Amino acid sequence: MQLPAGVASEVIRLDRLGVLVADDHVWAHRLAVSLAEVAGEPLVFADESRAPEYNEYIRELCRTGGFAVRAYPGTVHSVLGARRLVRDGHAVACVPRSCAPLPGLRWIPIAEPAYYPWSLLWRANGETEAVRSIRCCARMLADRLGWTSCREPGEAPVTGLRAG
């Protein structure tokens, strides 16, 4: 996603993407699900006013997988809002690992590793001492928790991420 003029950013977390499915969904006991399989399921999205960048990220992920999103008719205000739709088998939700677990649902990684970049944003021309402190703390926390490492055994490094 293109940042507006005058906004700087720094990626602080790379969060593995997967799908949330009901405990009794046909995929519930799988170790991974391919993007091609996701093409056949309706995806529930957040309301555009709440998460336009995330929705676009998921649409672009699907496009790179060679298909257009089959969206559930309607949106939700949060992952918790999606829980009932997913639990009742009306849709699946494509979410980062940090959004799971939720009771009655299973999170299954997408087989073609994809990561959502969580970023800090600030005014590029007005970096204050407070912003520098927050960035420093965020980097230390990310390093300690391994948030910027998205390599799993046998996996190639992620490229093309922009740091501020």
Side-chain angles (χ1 to χ4, degrees):
M1 180 173 182
Q2 186 72 10
L3 290 175
V7 175
S9 71
E10 180 175 357
V11 174
I12 58 160
R13 184 174 187 163
L14 298 172
D15 207 348
R16 180 81 186 259
L17 287 174
V19 291
L20 279 180
V21 299
D23 280 340
D24 61 353
H25 190 279
V26 67
W27 299 341
H29 298 288
R30 302 266 303 272
L31 297 178
V33 175
S34 73
L35 271 177
E37 291 173 292
V38 174
E41 295 284 327
L43 285 176
V44 63
F45 281 88
D47 185 276
E48 283 296 320
S49 67
R50 292 187 174 265
E53 73 290 339
Y54 185 75
N55 288 348
E56 182 55 33
Y57 188 85
I58 298 304
R59 286 185 191 100
E60 182 60 28
L61 177 68
C62 294
R63 278 191 291 274
T64 62
F67 65 96
V69 171
R70 183 175 153 215
Y72 177 82
T75 59
V76 295
H77 290 284
S78 68
V79 173
L80 289 176
R83 180 175 175 237
R84 185 171 186 170
L85 291 171
V86 172
R87 188 193 63 216
D88 292 348
H90 299 294
V92 300
C94 189
V95 299
R97 184 189 322 248
S98 64
C99 292
L102 292 169
L105 304 180
R106 285 273 328 264
W107 181 87
I108 304 159
I110 294 173
E112 303 84 353
Y115 297 83
Y116 184 72
W118 295 98
S119 300
L120 293 177
L121 304 176
W122 65 93
R123 288 187 185 112
N125 62 353
E127 186 171 334
T128 64
E129 184 61 35
V131 170
R132 282 190 289 281
S133 294
I134 290 169
R135 289 179 64 204
C136 181
C137 289
R139 277 190 219 113
M140 289 188 316
L141 184 62
D143 287 345
R144 191 176 83 208
L145 297 176
W147 282 354
T148 54
S149 172
C150 57
R151 293 172 81 179
E152 296 184 22
E155 208 174 273
V158 169
T159 59
L161 293 175
R162 225 172 50 130

